[in-house]
Amino acid sequence: MRLALVVGALGVVFGDIGTSPIYTLQTVFNPSDPHPVPVSTENVFGVVSLVFWSVVVIVTVTYVLLAMRADNDGEGGIMALITLLRRWRGQRGRRAALVLAALGIFGASLFFGDSMITPAISVLSAVEGLKVVQPSLDELIVPITAVIIVVQRRGTEAVGRLFGPVMIMWFVAIGVCGVAGIVDRPEILKALSPTYALGFLVGHFGTAFFALAAVVLAVTGAEALYADMGHFGRRSITRAWLILVFPACILSYLGQGALILDNPSNVSSPFFLLVPGWGRVPMILLATAATVIASQAVITGAYSVASQAAQLGYLPRLRIAHTSESTIGQVYVPWINWLLMVSVLTLVFAFRSSTALAFAFGMAVTGTITITTLLFFFIARWRWGAPLWLVGIGATVLLVVDLLFVAANLTKLIHGAWLPLLIGLAAYTVMTTWERGREIVTAERRRLEGSLREFVDHLRNGKPSTRCVHGTAIFLNRGKQTAPLAMRANVEHNHVRHERVVIMSIETEPVPRVPARERIVVDDLGYADDGITHVTARFGYMETPDVPGALATLDPAATEGRLQLDQASYVLSKIELRCGSAPTMARWRKRLFIATSYITADAAEYFGLPRDRTVVMGSHIEV
């Protein structure tokens, strides 16, 4: 079972970081870079050493050894850190937690930029290998890339089964090619010494600083190790990284460095030139398969982040399709899928090469890594009670490294680094606007709905007079404090109520999954014989709410009689939003909030309600 998890992790977790050797060194020594790194023996040793120690410090130390220890009931990723901070804020109410949670949301927003750039740069870099085989095929690279992206826009379970074995072949292949290069110029192994990285930074700071903007490409995908921890476990990811992925990638970088030392003209495509002539076409095919896997992994990550954000209240309820009954994490979010496909194709046709896209890529990666590091040390101090001096030293060292990368990528701002910042800012604006608008609508809705207890008391006292009809009605409501608008309208206008009434609230907890025994809480609302019961169903932010399934677990004694669930009517309160004059938000944010509400998934489908027995009653609220 552990071996299966390791193989699974190789196919899902390491696609992005495992394909970085295709374009990292090529980008560092790209002569068209606005701040080019000259090809010299000293610079090659310095760059390869910087790549090695960047991977060690950021991936192995920051993520594998440290960040992956900060989990939210087994789940990792920046959204897990946000939920931990939200829980801390609820317990202690400190302003710092609120600020850091907002910073975490921006980090998650940057991930959406990463999700758009990764498929474009990964697939482009693989297909660019055609230029090495036949330079005349250069004009076909962009069209072929576009076709591959369109074809692979939605993963399947059958393809998913091949991810692990294909990536094993990939890592073995790049490792073997790297060894072949090292054998020709074994002195490249000296680059493993930190003295070369430090000497390059100190002795040639101007050159090394600008090189960092491309060196960071070696750690792209580091966030995936953390984000997918809940699927495969920390041990499986750690073993896969230390035993296969890390050695294979480093051998490839060392081999490419040796190849450049042998002939500086090899900087045009050191990865594919490292492969013997007879093996280049098979390697291009294998690289294309590996980059498609890398793309699919980051796209699936975007689905996961979007669905978690929706569960936590930062995005509207989104329609989510589970594409596999047996494979964890294979979900499909149609709206996010089409947004990503259009965005990726736009990037491919706009930038047209992996080196041009690399200027934009680093900004998204460094921003997310820096925010993750900051949030981790805050949680380490608060949750684990780590000594302040230890947190201070660790945070200072790692944040200095991270901020160096951020500063280097800021120098590429006008050359493409603005793109992920713009995407991140746009996503952040949408998420925070939705959170604020949701608070406003919830407050107004509470006012309109009124107290649930008082409403039940009035029904008990016959005010207003109502007629009881046979059957069961399930009213979905946001909480237990207020009466459902649909039920209030039915009583006040139609003067009828059902024999059995269940007012049901869905609560999303700041944990990935809620145990079945803790799923349901029943309240008779003060009367054990009136047939009106309140049920709270609790789900984790990684779960899809199943209302009929939760109701089926109820004990008839707790609901004042057996519910006729096979014939029950489900009643929803639909709210129509209007832009009002109250100074709750800026007018443009009100319009953004209302526009965002249009992508909200159908409630009946989202909660698994039977459509033929679902009734929707409308109302309107001004924002």
Side-chain angles (χ1 to χ4, degrees):
M1 183 63 181
R2 287 182 179 177
L3 180 60
L5 285 174
V6 172
V7 173
L10 285 168
V12 175
V13 177
F14 298 103
D16 192 1
I17 198 168
T19 53
S20 296
I22 299 176
Y23 47 79
T24 299
L25 290 188
Q26 174 184 328
T27 304
V28 172
F29 293 107
N30 177 23
S32 62
D33 190 294
H35 306 98
V37 178
V39 182
S40 67
T41 300
E42 191 174 12
N43 286 352
V44 170
F45 274 97
V47 166
V48 173
S49 187
L50 268 181
V51 168
F52 172 71
W53 286 103
S54 296
V55 172
V56 169
V57 172
I58 292 177
V59 183
T60 305
V61 176
T62 300
Y63 279 93
V64 175
L65 297 183
L66 296 178
M68 289 177 67
R69 297 180 182 276
D71 66 283
N72 183 27
D73 292 345
E75 292 292 335
I78 201 163
M79 293 302 293
L81 293 178
I82 292 172
T83 54
L84 289 173
L85 288 167
R86 280 163 57 109
R87 188 183 302 173
W88 180 82
R89 182 183 68 185
Q91 291 175 350
R92 305 190 184 186
R94 294 187 181 179
R95 182 176 298 178
L98 183 62
V99 172
L100 288 167
L103 192 62
I105 297 169
F106 183 67
S109 302
L110 285 174
F111 183 77
F112 286 114
D114 188 2
S115 303
M116 295 174 186
I117 300 172
T118 293
I121 191 173
S122 297
V123 180
L124 263 175
S125 64
V127 180
E128 282 170 350
L130 291 172
K131 291 190 297 185
V132 178
V133 177
Q134 182 55 261
S136 62
L137 297 176
D138 187 32
E139 293 299 320
L140 296 177
I141 289 174
V142 171
I144 292 173
T145 300
V147 170
I148 292 172
I149 288 170
V150 171
V151 170
Q152 68 100 55
R153 67 182 176 85
R154 181 173 179 176
T156 65
E157 184 177 4
V159 174
R161 292 195 189 102
L162 299 175
F163 283 6
V166 168
M167 292 309 295
I168 290 175
M169 291 172 56
W170 168 255
F171 288 121
V172 170
I174 68 173
V176 169
C177 290
V179 170
I182 294 169
V183 169
D184 291 338
R185 296 293 294 265
E187 64 267 29
I188 192 64
L189 291 173
K190 294 188 293 184
L192 298 178
S193 169
T195 56
Y196 283 90
L198 293 173
F200 186 46
L201 273 173
V202 175
H204 304 81
F205 183 76
T207 302
F209 175 73
F210 291 118
L212 288 175
V215 168
V216 74
L217 298 176
V219 300
T220 58
E223 179 68 19
L225 277 69
Y226 187 25
D228 286 311
M229 187 171 66
H231 294 165
F232 302 100
R234 184 167 65 90
R235 287 188 177 182
S236 298
I237 292 174
T238 301
R239 288 172 181 172
W241 169 253
L242 295 177
I243 294 172
L244 181 59
V245 181
F246 177 59
C249 290
I250 297 306
L251 286 173
S252 180
Y253 288 125
L254 289 169
Q256 292 179 56
L259 190 72
I260 296 170
L261 285 178
D262 191 55
N263 185 353
S265 66
N266 288 330
V267 295
S268 61
S269 186
F271 178 83
F272 288 106
L273 290 172
L274 192 61
V275 183
W278 57 266
R280 285 174 187 165
V281 172
M283 179 59 87
I284 291 170
L285 296 175
L286 183 58
T288 302
T291 53
V292 166
I293 291 170
S295 303
Q296 195 59 51
V298 78
I299 290 170
T300 302
Y303 295 162
S304 180
V305 170
S307 62
Q308 291 178 42
Q311 291 283 54
L312 293 172
Y314 295 115
L315 284 175
R317 184 174 59 241
L318 299 171
R319 185 167 76 85
I320 300 171
H322 292 267
T323 59
S324 170
E325 295 181 359
S326 59
T327 305
I328 297 175
Q330 287 198 3
V331 295
Y332 171 61
V333 184
W335 194 87
I336 296 295
N337 176 76
W338 286 103
L339 175 65
L340 288 179
M341 191 187 74
V342 172
S343 301
V344 171
L345 287 174
T346 302
L347 291 175
V348 168
F349 286 108
F351 285 84
R352 305 188 69 83
S353 75
S354 60
T355 51
L357 265 171
F359 300 148
F361 200 18
M363 197 69 250
V365 174
T366 54
T368 304
I369 290 172
T370 304
I371 292 171
T372 298
T373 303
L374 182 63
L375 298 186
F376 165 77
F377 279 107
F378 187 87
I379 288 172
R381 173 63 180 162
W382 156 69
R383 187 179 183 187
W384 302 335
L388 184 59
W389 65 269
L390 182 61
V391 170
I393 293 174
T396 299
V397 172
L398 294 181
L399 285 174
V400 164
V401 173
D402 294 345
L403 290 173
L404 265 176
F405 280 110
V406 171
N409 277 275
L410 284 174
T411 64
K412 312 293 185 184
L413 202 59
I414 62 174
H415 303 287
W418 57 268
L419 179 64
L421 289 178
L422 180 63
I423 295 171
L425 185 61
Y428 177 81
T429 302
V430 170
M431 292 169 76
T432 53
T433 298
W434 182 260
E435 182 190 28
R436 174 60 183 148
R438 191 167 167 268
E439 290 174 354
I440 295 168
V441 170
T442 300
E444 179 63 16
R445 188 166 179 168
R446 284 199 192 102
R447 187 187 68 80
L448 293 174
E449 290 173 337
S451 169
L452 176 59
R453 290 281 183 172
E454 292 180 5
F455 181 67
V456 172
D457 289 341
H458 290 161
L459 285 177
R460 179 78 173 186
N461 297 327
K463 300 177 182 179
S465 177
T466 58
R467 183 167 60 89
C468 191
V469 297
H470 180 70
T472 300
I474 316 295
F475 291 87
L476 267 66
N477 199 36
R478 288 185 175 271
K480 192 169 69 172
Q481 304 304 315
T482 61
L485 281 175
M487 184 178 179
R488 183 180 288 277
N490 202 36
V491 167
E492 293 178 351
H493 297 288
N494 299 326
H495 303 289
V496 296
R497 51 152 290 197
H498 287 75
E499 180 184 13
R500 295 278 180 268
V501 174
V502 174
I503 301 169
M504 189 165 190
S505 301
I506 308 297
E507 291 186 0
T508 301
E509 301 295 325
V511 295
R513 295 172 184 84
V514 173
R517 64 181 181 278
E518 301 175 11
R519 176 86 64 205
I520 298 294
V521 178
V522 181
D523 187 346
D524 63 10
L525 298 175
Y527 304 101
D529 59 353
D530 63 352
I532 302 176
T533 309
H534 185 278
V535 174
T536 301
R538 302 166 64 239
F539 294 90
Y541 64 85
M542 292 290 289
E543 298 178 290
T544 300
D546 179 5
V547 169
L551 289 171
T553 65
L554 289 171
D555 182 354
T559 56
E560 304 174 21
R562 183 174 298 277
L563 302 176
Q564 298 175 329
L565 293 179
D566 57 338
Q567 300 176 5
S569 298
Y570 293 85
V571 187
L572 301 173
S573 302
K574 184 177 181 179
I575 302 298
E576 180 186 342
L577 300 174
R578 297 179 182 176
C579 191
S581 58
T584 51
M585 283 193 297
R587 195 164 187 83
W588 68 267
R589 292 190 72 189
K590 292 181 180 182
R591 290 175 176 171
L592 176 61
F593 175 68
I594 294 172
T596 306
S597 70
Y598 292 139
I599 67 171
T600 303
D602 179 73
E605 180 180 356
Y606 184 80
F607 293 115
L609 308 183
R611 285 193 172 276
D612 58 337
R613 290 185 282 117
T614 300
V615 179
V616 179
M617 301 185 70
S619 182
H620 75 268
I621 288 179
E622 289 190 351
V623 180

